[in-house]
Amino acid sequence: MLDKLVFYLHYPFVQYALVVGVLIALCSSLLGVTLVLRRFSFIGDGLSHVAFGAMAVAAVLNITNDMPLILTITILCAILLLRTGQNTVVKGDAAIAMLSVGALAIGYLLMNLFSTSGNVSGDVCTTLFGSTSILTLTAGEVRLCAILSIAVVVIFLLFYNKIFAITFDETFAQATGTKTAAYNLLIAVVIAVIIVLAMDLVGSLLISALVIFPALSAMRLFGSFRAVTLCAAVLSVICAFCGIVLSILVGTPVGSTIVAADIVVFGLSVLIGRLCKGARA
């Protein structure tokens, strides 16, 4: 098995997949803790369905480079979700559910009505659950992913204190002069970028797992925001790397294998957390 892995690692497409997978996993984990603590865990799932709908629109319009359109629509919907989350008429969970189901239904409807492919069901399945496109990346796509990932990490590091403040007490942060609306907008844009990047890796239906599971696992092991964020990043990268390697060696779907690795790590984290509490007691 080890010889087989070493053999595959010599191929550029495997190297590209590992680089992109690790970068996407790292970016997804950084804001996962913030989303979980602010009770917006489901926003990743909602925005991924929006991205699916945008991808369907791009396919209908025969747009070759669909990322600008998908990214623009996803960013606008992310801003809308965060703003309606504070609305007294449409609560955050209802807004996410409405946008999620609506975008998914419209996207599937458009793909059926204006299909240019003979296998619509197959195209939809690979989009929702991930596909082998992560193994067919070009050098240009890898560079674009690296640039966007670096931008996400730099933004998170530069505005870490502000993100920390609005995560735990947005009202107090606003009272102290923090421009909470601007930082909520920034978070929305970053989340949208992460969602679009992750679509090819795990598919639309599994993106939220990439955001939530590492954060939940880290919360079982540590108590401080910084420690949880660092732990979530490490666990996410490890799970993505192991998931991609296993999928290549065993022949399983990449996205599902990564999520399965996240589930296993979450179970181990819960067990370790309980053992540590028992030992301290």
Side-chain angles (χ1 to χ4, degrees):
M1 186 71 74
L2 183 59
D3 293 337
K4 187 178 181 181
L5 174 60
V6 173
F7 172 76
Y8 276 122
L9 287 176
H10 285 91
Y11 288 96
F13 74 91
V14 176
Q15 298 170 5
Y16 290 162
L18 289 172
V19 170
V20 170
V22 166
L23 288 175
I24 292 173
L26 175 63
C27 293
S28 301
S29 64
L30 291 179
L31 284 176
V33 180
T34 296
L35 294 181
V36 170
L37 291 175
R38 297 187 67 183
R39 300 185 184 278
F40 267 101
S41 302
F42 208 57
I43 195 172
D45 194 58
L47 289 179
S48 65
H49 293 171
V50 170
F52 171 80
M55 182 179 292
V57 172
V60 170
L61 297 176
N62 292 320
I63 299 176
T64 305
N65 185 14
D66 56 3
M67 180 170 281
L69 176 64
I70 296 173
L71 192 58
T72 301
I73 294 176
T74 308
I75 288 174
L76 291 176
C77 288
I79 296 170
L80 176 65
L81 282 178
L82 288 181
R83 286 193 179 277
T84 54
Q86 301 172 348
N87 196 303
T88 56
V89 178
V90 183
K91 300 298 181 182
D93 56 346
I96 293 173
M98 289 170 58
L99 199 59
S100 173
V101 176
L104 190 62
I106 295 299
Y108 186 55
L109 181 63
L110 289 175
M111 291 184 74
N112 276 271
L113 290 177
F114 305 98
S115 174
T116 57
S117 171
N119 185 19
V120 177
S121 298
D123 293 341
V124 172
C125 185
T126 54
T127 304
L128 293 179
F129 293 98
S131 64
T132 56
S133 58
I134 188 67
L135 299 176
T136 59
L137 294 170
T138 63
E141 290 172 329
V142 175
R143 282 195 294 269
L144 177 61
C145 178
I147 291 171
L148 292 176
S149 299
I150 292 172
V152 168
V153 174
V154 169
I155 289 172
F156 181 81
L157 293 176
L158 286 176
F159 299 103
Y160 171 82
N161 291 331
K162 302 298 183 182
I163 293 174
F164 173 82
I166 65 175
T167 296
F168 284 96
D169 196 335
E170 185 173 349
T171 304
F172 178 76
Q174 187 173 12
T176 58
T178 301
K179 297 179 180 179
T180 56
Y183 289 109
N184 278 326
L185 176 64
L186 179 66
I187 291 174
V189 172
V190 173
I191 293 170
V193 171
I194 293 171
I195 296 300
V196 174
L197 286 176
M199 280 193 69
D200 284 339
L201 181 63
V202 296
S204 295
L205 291 182
L206 302 178
I207 288 177
S208 56
L210 207 64
V211 175
I212 296 170
F213 270 110
L216 292 176
S217 299
M219 287 177 181
R220 298 302 179 276
L221 301 174
F222 296 97
S224 70
F225 183 79
R226 179 172 298 179
V228 169
T229 302
L230 290 174
C231 181
V234 172
L235 293 178
S236 184
V237 168
I238 291 174
C239 289
F241 182 85
C242 293
I244 294 173
V245 169
L246 284 175
S247 68
I248 292 172
L249 294 178
V250 184
T252 54
V254 177
S256 301
T257 309
I258 293 174
V259 175
D262 279 315
I263 293 172
V264 171
V265 169
F266 174 72
L268 292 174
S269 299
V270 171
L271 180 61
I272 294 171
R274 288 181 178 176
L275 290 175
C276 290
K277 285 183 180 180
R280 286 195 296 265

